[in-house]
Amino acid sequence: MSYDDLKEMLMKKIDQELFNYKQNLIKNYTPEEIIEQAYKINIKQQIRDIIDGIIFSKEQIQVLLKTDNLLEKLYDKYEKSDGNIWEYLEDNVGDSLGNIVKEYNQLKNKNKEKER
């Protein structure tokens, strides 16, 4: 089997796992409970997209194809990791807010100069 065929099988497997997860939510949870799971759905989708961009060896793909609940395992690992997305988000929001204020003040000063 070619690399491309194996990779396609892996992505179909992951897509099916994500689809099944969402269907389970739809069938067994209230709308409010589903909304509470939105973060998990988003992270699983991002993990899926990351995997799609990785070039694996054929052996790695074969192992991943045999791994049950791959997305759930990767999500659990992510959730328990030391990496803190909150800190990254705080830094990013803080920087963006600072830039917005800076741009506003620059525009304000520019308009004042025009009025003179």
Side-chain angles (χ1 to χ4, degrees):
M1 194 171 273
S2 75
Y3 174 85
D4 290 338
D5 291 339
L6 286 171
K7 183 71 181 258
E8 184 177 337
M9 284 176 60
L10 175 62
M11 296 315 300
K12 283 182 180 180
K13 174 187 182 338
I14 290 169
D15 288 340
Q16 187 65 50
E17 183 181 339
L18 189 57
F19 176 81
N20 292 344
Y21 176 74
K22 291 175 184 177
Q23 288 302 305
N24 179 54
L25 289 174
I26 291 168
K27 290 178 184 175
N28 298 307
Y29 293 84
T30 66
E32 292 79 17
E33 291 170 323
I34 294 171
I35 290 169
E36 289 174 10
Q37 294 296 312
Y39 177 78
K40 187 172 184 176
I41 295 167
N42 182 302
I43 294 298
K44 283 186 171 192
Q45 181 64 50
Q46 289 183 42
I47 291 169
R48 181 250 178 248
D49 292 345
I50 289 167
I51 291 170
D52 192 29
I54 294 174
I55 298 173
F56 297 100
S57 70
K58 282 185 174 183
E59 180 183 10
Q60 288 172 318
I61 293 175
Q62 289 168 342
V63 169
L64 296 175
L65 284 168
K66 294 175 185 175
T67 303
D68 291 332
N69 302 312
L70 181 60
L71 275 179
E72 188 66 25
K73 287 179 181 178
L74 292 170
Y75 177 82
D76 288 345
K77 178 82 172 169
Y78 159 78
E79 193 174 41
K80 295 173 186 164
S81 71
D82 289 337
N84 188 337
I85 195 166
W86 189 259
E87 288 177 10
Y88 172 77
L89 188 58
E90 280 182 320
D91 290 345
N92 189 289
V93 169
D95 290 346
S96 295
L97 290 173
N99 288 335
I100 290 169
V101 170
K102 181 179 175 182
E103 290 170 7
Y104 173 83
N105 286 332
Q106 287 173 343
L107 184 60
K108 184 177 168 182
N109 289 337
K110 190 176 183 180
N111 287 338
K112 280 184 181 180
E113 289 177 11
K114 285 182 181 178
E115 292 175 1
R116 293 181 195 179

